[in-house]
């Protein structure tokens, strides 16, 4: 059809130059709309309560508080986010803003991504509220802020976990156009929580070592949604150049990380490691050589008992999953300060399936002595079945402390409350010092 | 290379708008479950205000959704300025302004921010250019005074004016307004009609409505849609002419009403003292008091809506 050109009517507005508007600008405006709404205020209040409840954890440093804030962020906050993102994904349909937005000349992928970014931006703010209120709760309960950077470590891991759960629920709800689709992610979350022992470590979303896999999976889901959401809306408009590489690249990277986890994580019977199995086979009766190990420490290297020849060793086993046992870190730090110059060497062995646990607690407790991670920890009914080191030290009650003499022979074993309360530990060390002053 | 916009980007002095037609051929929409929304609709819509008149459920919103690229037809084609609304959706969206019948705004954004967001959606990347455009639109729809108020607190009429402003953001060559006056109080209805009337000129404005007053007030041309079929299209005057010589007014006693109604198409009723003046559209009215009357658009509309009417005129 031929088009004719005529002079515009006088009321015709001036035509303004067009240039693509960035996804960030679009998302920024949607974020502004979102955070002013009553539902975001409710989300912020829920986040604050969750954070506050985690903040009052005991300990000289913030370690346990930071750890619990992270646990809260994915256990409870995770469910909130599933609901939140599923709701936001289809809110447009219910509120009928979609008819305005989708009739505009913006490619679908830009709309999808900017809206996700705005929704996730609100989640990040709410997540920040969890941690800010955890700090506030800690201060309110009279705790200090030693090792406050541990909160940041946990926040970063939480962001990854929440990104996955947010992306999964958002994309499911958007593709199927119902918030109930997001409930499928909620179901997975419930199964992951309730059936932890049946899941390979590599498939458990909250472990820091798995976060990258899940972040790439989330990116892949977003890519798929950008690619296929409202496919017919596109007409003959080409798909943006970044969508396919984002989707396929993320899928490949997710696969690589999962595969790497599956083949490297000590997770019997799927994958075992002869060195860890040998460590587990050691025993620790009084009078015998304390079980040795070579495990990753928090500075990126490996530590073993052989690194401390001629010192009285105070070996403490603990687990972040047993909150009370983490108190031993403060006791070991006391020992280090008081007796370190006299040849006493504390070493903490962290029994956790999460690779970042030792680092978070070492940093959050402000300890100067070596903290190593028993990376062979896996799902089992009790610590001695779950952890090679707990097995070697026969540590079914945590914390579990072993005091050796200067020849590394086990001299005293303290279990549970006896390890951190009363004078048992102090007396054991003084006895060793008296017997072997140098 | 993909065309970015049909609207020429030019200085104010040399600004020109392309004039286009909307051409609809054999358009059919069948929903899941076999419900037919549109049946073989053929229309050519020239520049000016074109009213699409029909009762609720006639298929008006379906047609609007197809033209605004939000829905694909089952069969047939529609072209806007030569661009196919199925294959060349982006090109159509560049020149389209759409005010849906039922739409939502972000309640927590102000009127200015709402339009700012829409400006971004139209890829008006320069914030100064966007601001200038928004100020002009707010002034046009008489909302400058409330530019910083959140739209969540706006009345229905104010929301519609924001809706109209957002539809005009890209200075569209095709403006589609779907039932813009529905649910508005009389003052707002008049205000909105005035706005639409002012917008005419060289652009195509498709006004979907079920209100005869809307058509009478602003439309140049009209199509009547009923059960997914076009029953008439032409000028407003031509529509009125459909019933010339067939409109009758009769002064009757109340007792006579039932008999007359049974045999004729009633289009109006007015009480005068003890009697009733009733208006019919019919070839002939067998009553001694019957006298011919000047046809109105409402007479023509109701005549076209008769169940036995078939096909476009």
């Amino acid at each position: 059809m031929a088009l004719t050109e005529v002079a515009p009517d006088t009321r015709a507005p001036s035509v303004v130059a067009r240039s693509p508007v960035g996804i960030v600008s679009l998302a920024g405006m949607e974020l502004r709309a979102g955070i002013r709404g009553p539902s975001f205020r409710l989300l912020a209040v829920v986040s604050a309560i969750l954070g506050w409840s985690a903040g009052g954890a005991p300990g000289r440093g913030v370690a346990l508080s930071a750890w619990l804030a992270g646990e809260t962020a994915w256990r409870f906050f995770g469910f909130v986010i599933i609901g939140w993102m599923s709701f936001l994904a289809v809110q447009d349909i219910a509120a009928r803003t979609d008819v305005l937005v989708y009739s505009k000349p913006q490619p679908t992928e830009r709309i999808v991504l900017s809206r996700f970014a705005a929704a996730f931006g609100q989640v990040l703010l709410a997540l920040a509220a969890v941690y800010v209120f955890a700090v506030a709760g800690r201060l309110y309960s009279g705790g200090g802020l030693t090792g406050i950077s541990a909160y940041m470590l946990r926040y970063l891991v939480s962001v990854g976990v929440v990104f996955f759960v947010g992306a999964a629920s958002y994309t499911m709800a958007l593709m199927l156009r119902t918030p109930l689709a997001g409930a499928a992610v909620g179901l997975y979350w419930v199964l992951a929580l309730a059936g932890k022992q049946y899941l390979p470590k590599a498939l458990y979303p909250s472990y820091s070592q798995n976060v990258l896999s899940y972040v790439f999976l989330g990116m892949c889901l977003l890519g798929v949604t950008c690619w296929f959401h409202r496919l017919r809306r596109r007409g003959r408009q080409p798909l943006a150049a970044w969508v396919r590489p984002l989707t396929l690249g993320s899928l490949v990277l997710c696969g690589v990380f999962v595969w790497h986890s599956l083949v490297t994580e000590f997770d019997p019977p799927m994958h075992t490691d002869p060195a860890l199995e040998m460590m587990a086979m050691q025993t620790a009766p009084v009078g015998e050589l304390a079980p040795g190990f070579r495990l990753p420490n928090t500075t990126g290297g490996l530590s073993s008992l052989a690194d401390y020849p001629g010192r009285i060793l105070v070996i403490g086993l603990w687990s972040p999953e047993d909150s009370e046992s983490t108190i031993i870190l403060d006791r070991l730090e006391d020992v280090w300060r008081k007796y370190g110059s006299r040849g006493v060497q504390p070493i903490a062995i962290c029994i956790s399936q999460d690779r970042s646990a030792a680092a978070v607690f070492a940093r959050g407790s402000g300890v100067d002595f070596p903290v190593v991670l028993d990376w062979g920890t896996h799902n089992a009914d009790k610590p001695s079945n779950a952890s090679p080191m707990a097995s070697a030290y026969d540590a079914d009650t945590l914390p579990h402390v072993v005091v050796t003499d200067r020849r590394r022979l086990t001299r005293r074993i303290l279990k549970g409350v006896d390890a951190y309360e009363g004078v048992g530990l102090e007396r054991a060390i003084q006895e060793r010092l008296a017997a072997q002053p140098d | 290379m993909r065309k970015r916009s049909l609207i020429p980007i030019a200085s104010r002095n040399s600004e020109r708008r392309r004039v286009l037609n909307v051409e609809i051929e054999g358009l059919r929409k069948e929903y899941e479950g076999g419900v037919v929304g549109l049946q073989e609709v053929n229309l050519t819509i020239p520049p000016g205000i074109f009213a699409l008149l029909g009762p609720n459920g006639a298929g008006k919103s379906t047609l609007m959704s197809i033209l605004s690229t939000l829905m694909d037809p089952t069969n047939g084609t529609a072209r806007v300025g030569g661009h196919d609304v199925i294959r060349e959706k982006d090109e159509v969206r560049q020149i389209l302004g759409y005010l849906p019948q039922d739409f939502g705004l972000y309640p927590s954004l102000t009127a200015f921010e709402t339009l700012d967001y829409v400006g971004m959606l139209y890829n008006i990347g320069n914030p100064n250019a966007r601001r200038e455009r928004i100020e002009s639109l707010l002034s046009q729809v008489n909302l400058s005074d409330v530019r910083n108020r959140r739209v969540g607190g706006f009345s229905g009429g104010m929301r519609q004016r924001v809706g109209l402003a957002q539809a005009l953001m890209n200075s569209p060559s095709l403006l589609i307004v779907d039932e813009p006056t529905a649910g508005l109080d009389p003052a707002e209805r008049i205000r909105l009609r005035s706005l639409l009337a002012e917008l005419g000129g060289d652009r195509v404005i498709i006004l979907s409505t079920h209100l005869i007053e809307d058509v009478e007030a602003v439309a140049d041309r009209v199509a009547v849609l009923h059960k997914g079929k076009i029953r008439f299209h032409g000028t407003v005057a031509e529509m009125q002419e459909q019933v010339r010589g067939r409109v009758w007014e009769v002064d009757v006693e109340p007792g006579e009403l039932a008999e007359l109604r049974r045999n004729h198409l009633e289009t109006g009723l007015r009480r005068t003292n003890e009697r009733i003046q009733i208006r019919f559209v019919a070839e002939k009215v067998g009553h001694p008091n019957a006298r011919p009357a000047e046809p109105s658009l409402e007479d023509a509309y109701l005549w076209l809506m008769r169940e036995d009417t078939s096909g476009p005129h």
Side-chain angles (χ1 to χ4, degrees), chain A residues 26 45 61 104 135 140 171 178 182 185 195 197 261 265 282 284 320 327 333 349 356 359 373 392 397:
Chain A
L26 286 169
V45 169
K104 303 293 184 275
V135 173
Y140 181 77
T171 53
T178 165
V185 184
Q197 63 270 34
S261 289
E265 286 285 350
Q282 301 171 91
I327 298 170
E333 179 66 11
I349 302 176
S356 71
L373 175 75
T397 306

Side-chain angles (χ1 to χ4, degrees), chain B residues 16-62:
Chain B
R16 304 182 82 79
R17 184 207 306 282
R18 282 169 185 256
V19 172
L20 51 78
N21 285 348
V22 175
E23 294 172 333
I24 301 166
E25 287 173 29
L27 210 61
R28 179 180 174 81
K29 178 66 187 179
E30 201 172 318
Y31 292 100
E32 280 177 27
V35 178
V36 177
L38 291 174
Q39 307 181 46
E40 302 300 318
V41 171
N42 294 288
L43 274 178
T44 298
I45 305 173
I49 301 183
F50 184 90
L52 196 61
L53 188 62
N56 291 329
K60 301 188 301 291
S61 290
T62 301

